[in-house]
Amino acid sequence: VLEVGCGTGALSRILATEMPDRQLLFTDFSAGMLAMCRQRLSDLPKPEHQAWQIMDGENIAAQDEYALIASSLTLQWFNNPTQALQRACRVLQKGGKLFYSYVGEESFTEWRTICDRFKIPCTANPMPDTHRLNYEIRNFFSTIETWGDTVRIKYPQVKDFFYSLKKTGSGTQLNKRSLPVKQMRELIKKWDNELLGEELEMTYNIQYILAEK
């Protein structure tokens, strides 16, 4: 079993718990994230079945074939999600399965709306177009099941939302756009004023792909 972009180990722990007898390879582009993942799994039995490796999840380099490739909320950061899924399919065993989740294009509607109202550029990263992605990968797998879910997360203040993006690495700009500090402060102040002391509720559109080779 291969996990792409293990991050802090949330999905990794589920995989290790549910499949303790499987050979599990946890990968991430960041050595620091691999260390955090390893620490999170340190109390689980059978560490001999677990391995960690620095890997670019968009360009899986593997000599083995996998029964399962899983990834939680990483696909949206790839330059070409379609090619990434095609490469993942190539290293799946016949009958092997792929399970990916990603942040869809209908996320961050509140952010886009407030920027439009105040005529301030919205620097949210472009998320994968779900319909286009599903169409482009239809010939890679023998079966594909896709579905979506809407999650709304509350933040005490607007600055807490932006801090959460930075903390998780989600604030990394794919389109090389960022607001000057003065303009960002203006956006946060105006947005907080609009909320009238209420918490900020942000919409996340989570998409899932379950496919078999």
Side-chain angles (χ1 to χ4, degrees):
V1 174
L2 168 67
E3 183 185 0
V4 171
C6 61
T8 59
L11 176 59
S12 312
R13 189 171 180 88
I14 295 173
L15 293 173
T17 302
E18 296 296 324
M19 293 179 272
D21 295 322
R22 291 277 188 169
Q23 294 293 330
L24 302 168
L25 176 59
F26 304 109
T27 69
D28 200 282
F29 195 68
S30 165
M33 287 294 156
L34 282 176
M36 292 179 68
C37 176
R38 192 163 191 164
Q39 177 61 34
R40 188 164 187 168
L41 272 60
S42 62
D43 63 319
L44 296 180
K46 297 191 176 180
E48 69 273 9
H49 289 280
Q50 302 166 9
W52 289 263
Q53 181 179 324
I54 294 177
M55 181 187 292
D56 178 359
E58 189 166 1
N59 298 283
I60 298 175
Q63 296 178 343
D64 297 323
E65 291 185 326
Y66 297 96
L68 171 67
I69 300 177
S71 184
S72 175
L73 304 179
T74 59
L75 189 68
Q76 69 273 5
W77 308 130
F78 294 163
N79 292 316
N80 193 319
T82 299
Q83 289 184 5
L85 291 173
Q86 184 177 27
R87 294 187 183 106
C89 181
R90 288 173 183 166
V91 296
L92 275 176
Q93 298 172 4
K94 183 63 176 178
K97 295 189 177 185
L98 175 144
F99 181 57
Y100 275 47
S101 65
Y102 64 93
V103 180
E105 77 276 17
E106 295 179 10
S107 301
F108 308 129
T109 52
E110 296 85 356
W111 185 2
R112 302 178 199 281
T113 298
I114 204 73
C115 285
D116 184 62
R117 181 181 304 171
F118 295 132
K119 309 302 180 185
I120 295 176
C122 180
T123 56
N125 283 318
M127 299 292 107
D129 182 317
T130 298
H131 295 292
R132 178 180 177 183
L133 181 63
N134 292 345
Y135 177 80
E136 291 176 339
I137 68 172
R138 70 195 189 285
N139 294 324
F140 298 167
F141 304 93
S142 61
T143 63
I144 301 177
E145 181 181 357
T146 62
W147 67 97
D149 190 17
T150 298
V151 178
R152 293 182 174 86
I153 299 178
K154 291 186 177 182
Y155 300 90
Q157 294 181 304
V158 173
K159 67 178 181 180
D160 297 304
F161 163 64
F162 287 114
Y163 176 72
S164 73
L165 293 181
K166 182 177 181 180
K167 185 178 179 181
T168 60
S170 306
T172 302
Q173 287 296 312
L174 300 179
N175 51 19
K176 307 301 182 183
R177 295 189 305 164
S178 60
L179 291 180
V181 173
K182 182 179 180 180
Q183 201 168 25
M184 174 59 80
R185 288 174 177 168
E186 178 189 1
L187 172 61
I188 292 174
K189 182 178 179 179
K190 288 184 174 180
W191 200 349
D192 274 328
N193 288 339
E194 285 283 313
L195 294 173
L196 300 174
E198 297 292 326
E199 291 182 315
L200 168 64
E201 186 173 80
M202 184 62 61
T203 299
Y204 291 80
N205 171 239
I206 309 300
Q207 295 292 322
Y208 301 90
I209 300 172
L210 176 61
E212 181 174 324
K213 184 173 179 179

